Amino acid sequence: ESAVDEINSVWIEGFFPARIDDLNSKMSQDKICSEVYLPRSAATITYSKVYPQLTNLTGIMDPDLTVSGNWNSGGKPSQWIQFNFAKKTYIQSIRLKAANIPTQLVTLKVLYDLGPNTNNLTIQQSISVGQFIDIPFNKSIKDVRIITTEGDGWVAWNRVLFITGETCECAEP
């Protein structure tokens, strides 16, 4: 191996010695990324009202849709569900999965950092059962309250997911 080859050799996990052009090739490969979600244990949940026969908070924050989970207020707007985190937590986005019937135009208020300086976002969207609503967020917060202020049916969510970022791995060649 020449002196130039020794200088261009670097350690890449699984490859030794590797040349700089090998490293550049590995870094440019497609990535497989997956979202990272807050687990249910990261929050305590409160709500304005609940219909117990149609509520299972155990899986409400689980991205695995085969796991049972939902909150049903048993009432028309205005109804809310609130998530309190043990510590200030970065939230990249919030994903809601609608459980309301019928399809309806709803207005949501997302309140966060509850207290004297409460902030909020307002979203108005037509939703139907099973539809996802993605709310870009990009904030560190201690708590969040999702209020449905307008709509025709009962207020209910199958999922309330808090996406904190993503992890990526290089795809196999």
Side-chain angles (χ1 to χ4, degrees):
E1 189 170 10
S2 72
V4 171
D5 286 335
E6 283 182 43
I7 292 170
N8 286 334
S9 293
V10 294
W11 170 259
I12 301 176
E13 190 173 311
F15 299 91
F16 186 78
R19 296 179 49 84
I20 294 295
D21 46 345
D22 294 337
L23 176 62
N24 291 337
S25 171
K26 185 158 179 75
M27 290 176 66
S28 67
Q29 291 177 359
D30 290 335
K31 293 180 181 178
I32 299 171
C33 297
S34 57
E35 294 171 327
V36 177
Y37 301 89
L38 277 184
R40 170 65 185 87
S41 61
T44 56
I45 301 173
T46 55
Y47 37 77
S48 55
K49 188 175 169 183
V50 67
Y51 188 69
Q53 296 88 336
L54 296 176
T55 296
N56 176 359
L57 295 177
T58 305
I60 194 161
M61 291 173 63
D62 195 325
D64 180 354
L65 299 180
T66 64
V67 173
S68 178
N70 65 309
W71 167 70
N72 189 312
S73 70
K76 293 186 176 187
S78 182
Q79 302 293 331
W80 55 266
I81 186 167
Q82 180 171 318
F83 298 81
N84 301 303
F85 309 120
K87 61 182 180 181
K88 206 164 190 115
T89 304
Y90 174 76
I91 306 295
Q92 180 179 340
S93 63
I94 300 170
R95 179 171 296 146
L96 306 171
K97 184 177 182 207
N100 62 293
I101 298 173
T103 298
Q104 58 187 296
L105 180 65
V106 297
T107 301
L108 305 174
K109 284 195 177 202
V110 179
L111 306 178
Y112 56 96
D113 292 335
L114 304 174
N117 298 317
T118 298
N119 296 295
N120 73 77
L121 304 168
T122 301
I123 297 107
Q124 189 171 48
Q125 184 171 333
S126 180
I127 59 173
S128 57
V129 69
Q131 180 180 349
F132 286 95
I133 300 172
D134 285 311
I135 304 167
F137 207 69
N138 296 313
K139 297 176 187 355
S140 289
I141 60 171
K142 183 107 164 96
D143 45 28
V144 62
R145 179 180 287 186
I146 300 163
I147 308 171
T148 305
T149 59
E150 295 178 37
D152 294 328
W154 282 8
V155 178
W157 300 107
N158 281 338
R159 288 294 185 275
V160 181
L161 304 174
F162 297 96
I163 301 161
T164 59
E166 64 183 16
T167 59
C168 297
E169 297 176 0
C170 290
E172 293 296 319

